[in-house]
Amino acid sequence: MEILLVDGFEGDDAVVATARAVLEANGHTVHVIDLAADDFRIHMTMEERRLYHDEGENLLDPQAQAAAALLPDVQGVLFCCPHVTFGVPARVKGFLDRVFIPGVAFTFDDADKLDPKLRHIRRVGLITRSPHDARTVRRARDGARRYILWTVRLNCSWFARRTHVRLRPEESTERVSAALRRW
């Protein structure tokens, strides 16, 4: 299986290294997009926003084009990022806004109903580091998990399996290894 691993951490984190090592050890091909190292632009330009619904013309940025070119070939997408204010960091949100766009991740049919284009993706995962305990995150409705595992999965196969691991800052990556062995 080919996996797209989106690294949303600002620096090196053991989570990303562990995830990549486990996936490669299981025989998967892993394509890594390091949003911080690649200096992936967070915000859409005015031109990108204006052309957002024009399929085929809405991918203007070379970084977004390169990331979108990987999506038809992968069967799994794994996001690794810190838990920021009970949601995903701006870099990850910007990545999704600029890559998972009409014509790439979905289209609209004649009745303006969403038609997913990533039905070949069978796995969607999220690994986060959160300074908050489980109860606090649950009470805040865990925006990161909902945003990635629910919203992104709408563009994928209805039967796409979801993986979510939330680690405390001091916690080791053993649970990451255990969760990704099933991929």
Side-chain angles (χ1 to χ4, degrees):
M1 208 161 66
E2 291 195 37
I3 309 290
L4 175 62
L5 191 152
V6 179
D7 179 2
F9 286 100
E10 289 295 321
D12 291 336
D13 195 286
V15 168
V16 177
T18 301
R20 185 175 188 173
V22 169
L23 291 171
E24 288 176 344
N26 287 341
H28 302 301
T29 304
V30 180
H31 305 280
V32 178
I33 296 178
D34 188 344
L35 300 178
D38 297 343
D39 199 28
F40 196 87
R41 198 164 28 87
I42 297 171
H43 304 291
M44 282 185 183
T45 63
M46 291 295 286
E47 188 67 12
E48 284 176 319
R49 180 62 194 114
R50 189 177 66 76
L51 296 173
Y52 182 80
H53 290 286
D54 296 340
E55 295 177 23
E57 299 176 22
N58 51 3
L59 272 174
L60 302 175
D61 185 57
Q63 289 178 316
Q65 289 172 354
L70 292 172
L71 287 175
D73 300 327
V74 299
Q75 291 81 38
V77 181
L78 178 65
F79 293 88
C80 298
C81 61
H83 213 170
V84 180
T85 319
F86 304 108
V88 294
R91 243 182 242 292
V92 174
K93 174 79 167 70
F95 173 82
L96 291 169
D97 288 347
R98 296 179 61 232
V99 175
F100 282 65
I101 59 175
V104 175
F106 60 91
T107 58
F108 291 105
D109 62 11
D110 295 335
D112 284 336
K113 185 177 176 188
L114 183 86
D115 182 27
K117 287 193 68 171
L118 301 176
R119 289 192 175 123
H120 59 280
I121 294 181
R122 298 177 293 165
R123 292 280 193 172
V124 178
L126 172 66
I127 302 172
T128 62
R129 281 207 185 268
S130 175
H132 309 289
D133 61 23
R135 182 177 181 200
T136 305
V137 172
R138 244 188 338 270
R139 290 180 76 192
R141 301 193 59 206
D142 200 355
R145 182 177 57 86
R146 287 186 309 134
Y147 190 73
I148 299 293
L149 298 184
W150 295 359
T151 308
V152 171
R153 187 171 157 261
L154 288 175
N155 301 313
C156 303
S157 168
W158 286 108
F159 303 106
R161 294 182 68 185
R162 296 172 287 185
T163 302
H164 178 238
V165 179
R166 186 178 38 77
L167 301 171
R168 301 281 295 187
E170 68 279 354
E171 195 173 350
S172 73
T173 58
E174 291 174 16
R175 290 193 306 127
V176 173
S177 300
L180 294 180
R181 277 192 210 110
R182 296 182 295 246
W183 273 47

